Amino acid sequence: MSFEKVCLENKNLKVTFLDYGARIYEIFVKDVDGVSENVLLSLDEDFIKQDTAQFGASVGRVAGRLSRLDYDFATLEDNTDHGINMHSGYDGWWNKTWAYEKGNNWIEFSLKDIYSGYKGQLDAKIRYELEDDKLIMTNFAKTDTDTFYNPTNHSYFNLSGDIKEKIDGHELQILADKFVETDKLNIPTGELKDVEGTPFDFNEPTLIKNSLEKLPNGIDNCLVINESIDNYTPTLILRDPNSRRTLSITTDRKAFVIFSTTGFNADFTLNDGKKMSSQLGIAIEPQELPDAPNHEGFGNIVLKSGTESVHKTIYEFGIY
């Protein structure tokens, strides 16, 4: 499987993408001293075709775990050996080559999705635009058959630049009042728990290592955005005290899945030869609640035939 690399650039940001998985591959952002460095974990090119951790990839039709395999809309692959479908299986979006068109400040990827065990054809488009210090991601989808639909982007961030440091020294703020309780296989139990008094309370800027001290297995959890927050207010802010870089995310999605990469040690390399290791990056996945079809009150992720879904997420970078 081959892939093509394309680039968008303005005076503030340089972003490279891959057609394989419609991936955000690199984001170059200036630090407080004006030095531009990559703030993503970017697989070295020899390893991209072997990626099963979705580095920077678009994930769909459904992101995360589904705890059953058989539905009216789909018969899904068990790609976990536990009767669970994860990130729509091996034939999900992340493992497909997308067509694309490119303009001066935008690129749009498209895929006719007939894969992953879902019925019918879903026409997916993902448009990325650069606007000043913002990367704007808009997901479009239409289907000819009712289907589940809950996509995300699976980028791993490290604002130190070129992964000079681990992310436990970053500060994280998320305007979320609930988190999704999960079992030992990280499947939702159906309960939404208050974050107050738990290591998942990031309503104030919190040093990530302070939460990790209470979570020996790390963070791999869904935090539900406070419903009172409008779609124009950043609901997640990540800061690096050394580079002084910030990432603010505004989204119309209902939740963020956060993965601290704790325990993620692997032989592949990233960012010109750095070996993957625990807490090297933080995955931030805007989406609806995971495993929603199997839990009352988790919301409806059915996309009806003949209707169009549009979701927007804005990644804004800065200095503080």
Side-chain angles (χ1 to χ4, degrees), residues 64-128:
R65 296 166 177 82
L66 286 172
S67 60
R68 290 192 298 114
L69 301 177
D70 292 315
Y71 302 89
D72 292 341
F73 306 136
T75 301
L76 302 177
E77 170 193 3
D78 176 4
N79 61 327
T80 66
D81 296 326
H82 294 289
I84 297 164
N85 180 264
M86 179 71 174
H87 289 328
S88 294
Y90 186 77
D91 277 330
W93 291 2
W94 59 275
N95 199 26
K96 298 300 175 187
T97 299
W98 294 55
Y100 69 89
E101 297 181 13
K102 181 180 179 297
N104 289 332
N105 71 328
W106 60 269
I107 183 167
E108 186 170 276
F109 292 95
S110 58
L111 180 72
K112 294 187 180 300
D113 178 7
I114 54 173
Y115 314 103
S116 308
Y118 290 94
K119 294 180 180 179
Q121 176 176 301
L122 183 141
D123 294 330
K125 291 184 179 180
I126 304 173
R127 184 181 179 93
Y128 297 104

Side-chain angles (χ1 to χ4, degrees), residues 142-147 302-308:
K142 288 184 177 180
T143 176
D144 61 7
T145 305
D146 291 359
T147 188
V302 175
L303 179 60
K304 303 293 289 184
S305 173
T307 62
E308 182 177 37

Side-chain angles (χ1 to χ4, degrees), residues 80-256:
T80 66
D81 296 326
H82 294 289
I84 297 164
N85 180 264
M86 179 71 174
H87 289 328
S88 294
Y90 186 77
D91 277 330
W93 291 2
W94 59 275
N95 199 26
K96 298 300 175 187
T97 299
W98 294 55
Y100 69 89
E101 297 181 13
K102 181 180 179 297
N104 289 332
N105 71 328
W106 60 269
I107 183 167
E108 186 170 276
F109 292 95
S110 58
L111 180 72
K112 294 187 180 300
D113 178 7
I114 54 173
Y115 314 103
S116 308
Y118 290 94
K119 294 180 180 179
Q121 176 176 301
L122 183 141
D123 294 330
K125 291 184 179 180
I126 304 173
R127 184 181 179 93
Y128 297 104
E129 301 173 79
L130 286 192
E131 183 181 296
D132 298 324
D133 53 6
K134 298 175 183 177
L135 173 63
I136 303 169
M137 177 181 72
T138 310
N139 288 75
F140 303 88
K142 288 184 177 180
T143 176
D144 61 7
T145 305
D146 291 359
T147 188
F148 295 140
Y149 177 70
N150 184 16
T152 194
N153 176 271
H154 206 289
S155 289
Y156 296 76
F157 294 90
N158 184 321
L159 298 184
S160 71
D162 294 336
I163 50 179
K164 293 193 298 295
E165 301 169 6
K166 300 214 171 188
I167 54 86
D168 54 358
H170 285 35
E171 294 178 350
L172 179 63
Q173 182 176 17
I174 306 175
L175 303 184
D177 53 4
K178 303 282 185 182
F179 72 96
V180 177
E181 183 185 64
T182 55
D183 65 16
K184 63 182 180 179
L185 294 177
N186 214 17
I187 293 296
T189 64
E191 295 292 325
L192 300 181
K193 298 291 190 178
D194 291 336
V195 300
E196 186 175 359
T198 77
F200 304 111
D201 188 350
F202 294 98
N203 279 282
E204 298 296 330
T206 302
L207 204 60
I208 291 176
K209 68 180 179 182
N210 290 347
S211 287
L212 294 179
E213 287 174 354
K214 304 169 187 175
L215 297 166
N217 296 322
I219 305 168
D220 190 3
N221 297 84
C222 179
L223 281 80
V224 184
I225 297 168
N226 191 317
E227 291 182 353
S228 66
I229 307 297
D230 61 47
N231 292 339
Y232 306 98
T233 299
T235 47
L236 184 149
I237 299 174
L238 185 68
R239 302 179 181 91
D240 173 40
N242 292 323
S243 71
R244 311 293 288 183
R245 292 184 179 98
T246 67
L247 166 62
S248 301
I249 299 180
T250 305
T251 186
D252 56 13
R253 310 304 299 274
K254 292 182 179 178
F256 292 104

Side-chain angles (χ1 to χ4, degrees), residues 35-51:
V35 178
S36 184
E37 295 171 306
N38 182 17
V39 299
L40 291 188
L41 300 193
S42 304
L43 277 174
D44 285 345
E45 293 189 15
D46 290 344
F47 294 95
I48 290 171
K49 298 174 189 177
Q50 304 170 36
D51 177 26

